[in-house]
Amino acid sequence: MTEYGRSPGSEPWHPGDPLYGDPGWNGHEAQQGQMPYGSGPQQQYPQEPQYQQQFAQQGPYPDQMQGYPPQQQAHPQMHPHAQQQVHPQQQQQAYGGQVWDTGQGQYAVADPQAPAPQAPQGYPDQDQNLQAPDAYAAADPYAGAEPYAQQPVGGYPGETPDLYGTEESYPPPEPPGRRRPAPDPEAEPEAEEDEEDEETASTAGGGRRGSRPKGKGKGKGKGKDKPKRSRASCLVAAVVIVGVLGGGGYYGYDYLKTRFGPAEDYTGEGTSESVEVQIPNGAGLSQMGLILKEHGVVASADAFVAAATANKKGSSIQPGVYTLKKKMSAASAVAVMIDPSKLNVLVLPEGKRAVEVYEMIDKKLQKPAGTTAEIAKRDPKGLGLPAWAADNPKIKDPLEGFLFPARYDVTKETTPESLLKQMVRNASDQYANLGFEAKAKSLGLETPLQLVTVASLVQVEGNKHDDYRKMSEVIYNRLKKTNDVTNQKLEFDSTINYLKGTSNINVSREETRKLDNPYNTYLYKGLTPGPISNPGSEALNAALDPDKGGWMFFVSVDGNTTTFTKTFAEHEKLVAEFNARQKQKNGG
């Protein structure tokens, strides 16, 4: 054996040989600067130039060295049929070594003392059409390198790195007398600022070197504040804990009380202070309770809901304005609200005349008699009448037919003028929604006001729901030019009563002949100059959609039931029965 390994021959190198192959050859390049043996530090030696020269001249195969021709025997880890032929130019280009011809078609490395490198493990199989020189060139870390070029520092294993050349490196070693122990990473930061911190030095036995004078150095004046900070921190922590426990206890108690305890409620019928509360349409008991609580009437919405649920009439509470007292018990508030008379509203029924509406407003708002009538007479257009209203100068009251029947909320700020405006606005909106302007002419009428007038007559003459459409049919049939029975006269007693301001169902023939007024339908043809009442929704719809039954006459025999006929003979018979009943009633 030589100093680099066994003598050349056909026997392959044994892997157990400590000098077997190149320690960096395992199919990958050896990482520069990495210690190949073990994990601990080893003594490093500088690289000799001769070794660099020899390393650069190594050939690719162990058989091609020391002048011997290459052996034909395959490597143990190589497929027996995968023998490779290497051209000298390829070998020289891949490894940078000098080759020479043996004279027998074989080539060898020029340097006879170059050690034989270990062949790469895992030769390509014969099925893979790869040439050996290309495969080794990809794995050789020294392929293409200049043989005598200076290698970078630390580029070879075993070269000593510089551990103190950068800012991130460890500080250089100090003499034993000046060494200090490494800081404990688990120690508290405050230990560095303590004025009584003692400077220690670590020797081989870890002995005490000395201490810093008291009151001097970096931690001066901080030693006396530390106990105070500790006491203050404890005090703050105690206050926080007490606050958290106290707040949690309060909210916990409040939650339990709200969740499981009885709802908060006042007692009695309230204080002397009154307040107006408006309940909107569609409000449920919960919303009512919230509104009452906001106004200070009840203590909680839950108490109101419980009281209303316990009351049999609690579900009959209507929307509107209520005058209630503050701090009432929920039961007392419910007792007031289930009574419709306690509602602070003005309910306007269907069929009322304008003069009757004025009187109702004065009474509700506690105004002197005639106050609302004077306002209506002074500026009717200013109350919001549509442009097509009051187009006839013979109209007795321009607001007649425009005071829409409904319920109106009344508050302390409500005035007669504000109520009249609300009523006119509701009527105008209703007529617009029903399309009165467009449908008037289709019904043979001249203006939308005449359509309102028909509806007002239907409202007064009809007593029941079933009567409205038949009554509308009677009016349209009597207005026809082909009517030769009444000659286009309506002959309604209701028009006489409107003119006189009465409600007499038995109007004499003599009265009908004496009253010379356009509202006298016994004397004048066609409709009255304007409406004679304020019709409701049913009468309005009946005026738009008459019955189409051919009715011409009607008689209310007992004042409650209306009978309709198509011929005048049937009508005369019913009139005779009515007169006989009236005579018997009066004792005649």
Side-chain angles (χ1 to χ4, degrees), residues 20-31:
Y20 171 70
D22 188 354
W25 189 284
N26 56 359
H28 302 281
E29 294 87 354
Q31 298 181 1

Side-chain angles (χ1 to χ4, degrees), residues 36-180:
Y37 303 104
S39 59
Q42 297 184 4
Q43 187 176 2
Q44 306 294 330
Y45 296 95
Q47 185 72 33
E48 294 295 337
Q50 181 180 2
Y51 179 80
Q52 297 178 2
Q53 180 179 359
Q54 294 175 358
F55 197 90
Q57 295 177 356
Q58 290 179 359
Y61 297 100
D63 294 336
Q64 295 176 351
M65 59 179 57
Q66 298 183 3
Y68 289 92
Q71 301 293 328
Q72 298 300 324
Q73 183 177 357
H75 194 275
Q77 297 179 359
M78 183 176 180
H79 197 278
H81 299 286
Q83 297 181 1
Q84 306 293 335
Q85 297 294 332
V86 183
H87 195 275
Q89 294 181 358
Q90 295 177 350
Q91 182 180 12
Q92 183 177 4
Q93 181 179 2
Y95 303 111
Q98 298 180 0
V99 299
W100 55 275
D101 190 358
T102 60
Q104 299 178 1
Q106 305 294 333
Y107 300 92
V109 181
D111 189 357
Q113 297 181 354
Q118 179 186 357
Q121 298 179 3
Y123 277 71
D125 191 74
Q126 62 180 356
D127 296 335
Q128 301 177 358
N129 297 324
L130 298 177
Q131 295 182 1
D134 295 338
Y136 294 142
D140 191 354
Y142 309 106
E146 193 68 26
Y148 298 99
Q150 184 177 0
Q151 299 298 327
V153 178
Y156 297 99
E159 195 169 11
T160 304
D162 186 4
L163 302 178
Y164 312 106
T166 60
E167 296 181 357
E168 293 81 3
S169 62
Y170 292 98
E174 295 182 358
R178 297 179 59 184
R179 295 177 184 172
R180 294 185 181 182

